[in-house]
Amino acid sequence: MDQLIAKLKKLEKQNYRAYQQIKGQYDFTDFDLYIDHIQADPYASSSRFRARRPWSVTGLEWLKEESSAYQRAARDFIARTFAEYAKQDNNISIATTGQTVLDSTAVVFDDDGIELRFRINLPAEGRSILAKKAINIITFYLPKMIRKATLEREMRIEQLRTHCEVIEDQDALRGQLESNNLIAFVANGSVLPRIAGNVDVPMKDATPFKAPESLQVTLHAPNKGYITGLGVPKGITLIVGGGFHGKSTLLNAIERSIYDHIPEDGREYIVANANSMKIKAEDGRSVHNLNLSNYINHLPMGRDTSNFSTQDASGSTSQAAWLQESIESGVEALFIDEDTSATNFMIRDERMQSLVAKGEEPITPLVDRIGQLRDKLDISTMIVMGGSGDYLDVADTVIQMHDYQAIDVTEKAKQVILEHPTQRNNECETELESFKPRSLNRAALQSILVDGKFRVTAKGTDALRFGKEFTDLTALEQLESHGEVHAIGWVWFQLSQLPGWSSNPAQEISQMLNDNWHQAMPIHGDLVKPRVIDVMASLNRFRLAQFKPTR
C-alpha cells in the first residue's frame, strides 16, 4: 500500500494519462489489490480493479463446503453488500444483477480465497490528476468496504444464510421438474405482478397466487421443506381468460424463472425449465441459411425454403425461424404470447382456408405442427391464448386466469370441443422433419473483430457491439443482465479464435460454458454466464454471421 501511495503522490496535477503508472499489484496486508486497467480519460469507462483476500482472514472458509448454488448465492450476496457500501462513494462500483441471482464474475471463489472485481472512476479536475483524492478513495475508503463485505463478523450473516438457502432451494426445485414431468412450478403464495414494466419489484397488495387443486403438486426444497403449488406439465398448455385477468403476468413470471430470484421478490419459489425460450414475431431481423420447410414452403417464384436467408424477415417468417433456431439450439419448452405473435403463423381459421386455398398459402400454422413438436421432439409449449379456440383441440392442459387466480378448465375445454367441433382442416402436407444443425463460419467472426479493433461491448440487454457491428437483441426478453450480453460477445470471441467452420456451434458453445467458464474470459467483473440457447439466438441475429447447412 505504501508503494501505491508513493506513486500517487508523484502524480498530483499531472496529465490524466499518468495514472497508467499505477497499474500493477499491491500488498494491503490482509488482501492484495490489482489494478488491471486504467481509463484513458476522466470520461471513459471506469478503471478495473480487483481485490483478493485469502480464506483464512475472512472466516468464510465454510462456504467452500456448500453446494454450487449456495456458493453462487454467497458470491452474489457479497457483491450486493459491497455495492451498498460503495454508494458512500460514487467513484466505486461493482456489477450486480437486480432481482435475480446469476453466475457473475463480480465476486469469484477459488481454492485460495475470495476475489472482488470492481471499478473505480479515478478522480480528476479537468484532465489533471487529483492524487490526494485518489489516495483517500483507494487506501482509506476502499479497504474498509472490502473488509466489511468479506469478513464474517462484519457481515449480516443470517441474511447471507437466508439469501443462499432461498437460491439453493430454487435450484433444487428446478432440478425436480424433469422427474415430475413438469416444465414449470409456481408455488402457492407467490406474487406475480410487478410494480411497472420497467420496475422489477413485486406489486404491493397483489393477490398471492394459488394453484387449482387438480394441478397442485408438492416438491421438496432442502431448506424450506415441502412446497405446494402449480405444476405445469409437459405437453401443450394454454393460458386463457379475459383481458386484464393475469394471463401474460403468469407467463412472464414463468419465463423469467429460468433464473433464481432473491428473497422477498415474490417469485423465489417459481422455477422453469432452464432450456425454455420465449419466441415471438420480429419483423426485419436476419435469417441465415435456415431450413424452414416445416413451416413455410412453396413460396412464390419457386423460392426454396430448405436453405432460406433474408435480411428483412416478415413477422411470420421471423417467428418460424426463431422456432427452428431454438430447436437447433436444444430448446425443451417454448413460451408464446398471442399478443406478440404473427397471426398467420399461429392460425388460419376455417373461413380463411375457404377463401385462400392451401396451395396458395405457403405457411403451415403452428396449431398444426405443435402436437408434432410435442410427440416427435418432446418439446413442450405454453401459450397465452385469448382469440383462437382452435388451439383447444391440441391442448393437454388449459388454465384460465380470473382475477389473477388460476382455474383448471381442461375438462370444460374438452366439453367445448364436443359442443363446437372445429371445421378447419389440418394443413400439414408432410410429417415434421428433423434437420442437422447448421455449420458456423468462425473465421468470419475473426475478420469482423480484426476490422473493428477487437471491440466487444454490451449496450444494456438491447444490443451487442462486436467489432464495428451492432446486433439488436431487444427481442430476447429473457436476457436479465448486460453482463450476459457482454459474456455472449466474449463467447463469440472464443469462437473466432478457432479455425474454419464449426459443424455444431451449440455443442461447442456448451463446452465453453462449463463450470469454469469464466477462466477463459477476460478478468472482468461484469460478466454473467449466459445460456447456450441465448448465445445461439444472438448469433442468429448477427447480420454478418455466416451459416451453412450441414450435409
Side-chain angles (χ1 to χ4, degrees):
M1 183 173 74
D2 292 340
Q3 182 187 11
L4 177 58
I5 292 172
K7 281 185 179 181
L8 282 167
K9 284 181 177 179
K10 293 178 182 179
L11 301 182
E12 182 70 30
K13 298 301 181 180
Q14 289 192 35
N15 183 276
Y16 199 87
R17 289 186 177 276
Y19 265 133
Q20 299 292 333
Q21 298 175 32
I22 68 171
K23 284 197 295 188
Q25 178 182 350
Y26 301 93
D27 183 359
F28 276 59
T29 306
D30 59 338
F31 71 89
D32 288 331
L33 183 71
Y34 298 80
I35 305 176
D36 295 323
H37 169 76
I38 298 294
Q39 61 205 92
D41 61 64
Y43 310 102
S45 296
S46 302
S47 303
R48 294 186 183 274
F49 284 63
R50 289 179 291 137
R52 289 185 57 83
R53 298 198 78 194
W55 288 110
S56 58
V57 298
T58 66
L60 296 170
E61 299 99 320
W62 56 272
L63 287 173
K64 294 195 292 183
E65 307 302 319
E66 300 293 341
S67 67
S68 59
Y70 198 104
Q71 289 188 34
R72 170 165 53 87
R75 292 189 288 115
D76 177 84
F77 187 87
I78 291 170
R80 291 174 191 271
T81 302
F82 184 88
E84 288 180 21
Y85 293 126
K87 289 178 182 178
Q88 301 169 17
D89 191 317
N90 292 332
N91 294 292
I92 303 174
S93 63
I94 193 169
T96 54
T97 56
Q99 297 292 106
T100 50
V101 175
L102 308 176
D103 188 355
S104 165
T105 58
V107 177
V108 175
F109 292 170
D110 60 25
D111 291 340
D112 299 321
I114 300 173
E115 181 171 291
L116 284 78
R117 300 175 179 179
F118 49 92
R119 287 180 177 268
I120 298 180
N121 189 37
L122 294 172
E125 184 175 50
R127 295 186 183 276
S128 297
I129 290 173
L130 293 178
K132 292 179 181 177
K133 187 174 181 180
I135 290 170
N136 205 33
I137 292 170
I138 299 172
T139 66
F140 182 72
Y141 289 110
L142 179 64
K144 289 183 177 181
M145 296 177 190
I146 292 169
R147 289 163 184 145
K148 286 182 177 180
T150 57
L151 189 60
E152 185 183 42
R153 67 173 180 267
E154 295 278 354
M155 298 175 73
R156 302 182 300 273
I157 201 67
E158 288 307 313
Q159 286 188 30
L160 167 66
R161 292 185 184 278
T162 299
H163 188 85
C164 295
E165 288 172 359
V166 166
I167 302 309
E168 188 175 50
D169 282 352
Q170 286 172 77
D171 188 70
L173 293 175
R174 192 174 293 104
Q176 295 170 55
L177 293 177
E178 179 65 29
S179 61
N180 285 275
N181 203 40
L182 304 175
I183 62 167
F185 173 79
V186 184
N188 290 340
S190 296
V191 177
L192 311 187
R194 305 289 98 185
I195 286 180
N198 62 344
V199 182
D200 197 31
V201 296
M203 180 183 292
K204 295 180 180 178
D205 302 321
T207 303
F209 182 84
K210 189 172 189 302
E213 289 189 15
S214 55
L215 292 175
Q216 283 192 8
V217 298
T218 299
L219 304 180
H220 184 265
N223 301 293
K224 190 174 178 63
Y226 291 99
I227 303 175
T228 299
L230 169 67
V232 180
K234 286 186 175 183
I236 301 166
T237 300
L238 297 187
I239 307 174
V240 302
F244 305 99
H245 279 273
K247 301 188 301 297
S248 294
T249 300
L250 174 60
L251 182 65
N252 290 342
I254 290 173
E255 75 193 39
R256 301 282 293 280
S257 293
I258 55 174
Y259 306 110
D260 300 323
H261 290 93
I262 62 174
E264 299 184 8
D265 171 80
R267 299 167 296 186
E268 61 266 47
Y269 297 111
I270 305 176
V271 294
N273 184 304
N275 286 320
S276 303
M277 175 61 82
K278 185 179 185 181
I279 67 171
K280 63 181 183 179
E282 192 181 353
D283 291 308
R285 61 153 290 193
S286 56
V287 178
H288 306 287
N289 300 92
L290 191 65
N291 194 331
L292 292 179
S293 58
N294 279 328
Y295 320 101
I296 302 174
N297 44 47
H298 55 77
L299 289 175
M301 314 300 292
R303 189 176 179 190
D304 183 23
T305 60
S306 64
N307 186 13
F308 183 84
S309 296
T310 181
Q311 287 290 321
D312 188 21
S314 67
S316 56
T317 302
S318 65
Q319 195 162 3
W322 200 343
L323 171 53
Q324 187 58 39
E325 291 160 353
S326 298
I327 294 172
E328 186 179 73
S329 303
V331 75
E332 295 177 20
L334 296 165
F335 299 139
I336 301 173
D337 194 327
E338 178 189 38
D339 286 349
T340 56
S341 297
T343 302
N344 57 342
F345 174 70
M346 297 295 291
I347 189 69
R348 275 217 319 150
D349 64 19
E350 173 201 356
R351 287 180 171 175
M352 195 56 69
Q353 287 181 333
S354 298
L355 181 64
V356 180
K358 175 55 185 169
E360 299 171 359
E361 172 53 72
I363 300 171
T364 301
L366 180 64
V367 68
D368 294 328
R369 287 294 192 196
I370 195 170
Q372 296 174 344
L373 292 171
R374 174 197 59 202
D375 299 337
K376 189 170 182 178
L377 302 182
D378 195 27
I379 294 174
S380 298
T381 312
M382 189 173 193
I383 307 179
V384 168
M385 180 60 63
S388 175
D390 288 310
Y391 273 85
L392 296 176
D393 291 292
V394 295
D396 300 303
T397 306
V398 185
I399 299 170
Q400 180 179 347
M401 293 300 293
H402 180 75
D403 289 339
Y404 285 88
Q405 290 302 314
I407 305 168
D408 182 4
V409 294
T410 305
E411 293 305 317
K412 183 178 179 180
K414 291 177 181 178
Q415 188 61 37
V416 169
I417 292 169
L418 292 175
E419 295 174 359
H420 305 278
T422 184
Q423 299 299 314
R424 71 178 300 277
N425 297 315
N426 187 301
E427 297 192 327
C428 290
E429 297 176 320
T430 61
E431 286 296 312
L432 184 77
E433 291 188 64
S434 298
F435 308 115
K436 291 183 178 179
R438 293 163 298 155
S439 297
L440 172 71
N441 187 357
R442 297 175 296 210
L445 294 176
Q446 172 68 4
S447 64
I448 292 163
L449 263 187
V450 171
D451 186 47
K453 298 182 180 179
F454 293 89
R455 289 185 178 90
V456 178
T457 311
K459 303 295 182 182
T461 57
D462 292 338
L464 170 63
R465 179 174 182 171
F466 191 76
K468 292 181 180 179
E469 302 299 319
F470 287 85
T471 301
D472 185 357
L473 304 179
T474 52
L476 303 184
E477 296 179 5
Q478 289 171 289
L479 290 175
E480 283 283 320
S481 164
H482 82 280
E484 288 174 283
V485 178
H486 197 185
I488 285 170
W490 285 108
V491 172
W492 293 10
F493 177 89
Q494 291 181 57
L495 286 170
S496 76
Q497 303 307 293
L498 300 171
W501 291 77
S502 169
S503 61
N504 193 331
Q507 185 178 74
E508 194 165 17
I509 291 165
S510 179
Q511 292 168 354
M512 292 177 179
L513 294 174
N514 58 27
D515 290 340
N516 298 314
W517 66 278
H518 65 273
Q519 293 180 0
M521 296 280 183
I523 306 176
H524 293 174
D526 54 356
L527 298 172
V528 170
K529 184 177 181 179
R531 301 185 302 160
V532 172
I533 200 168
D534 288 324
V535 179
M536 286 297 299
S538 304
L539 267 174
N540 282 310
R541 283 158 180 77
F542 184 35
R543 293 190 180 277
L544 297 185
Q546 294 182 16
F547 288 87
K548 69 178 181 181
T550 301
R551 303 298 181 186

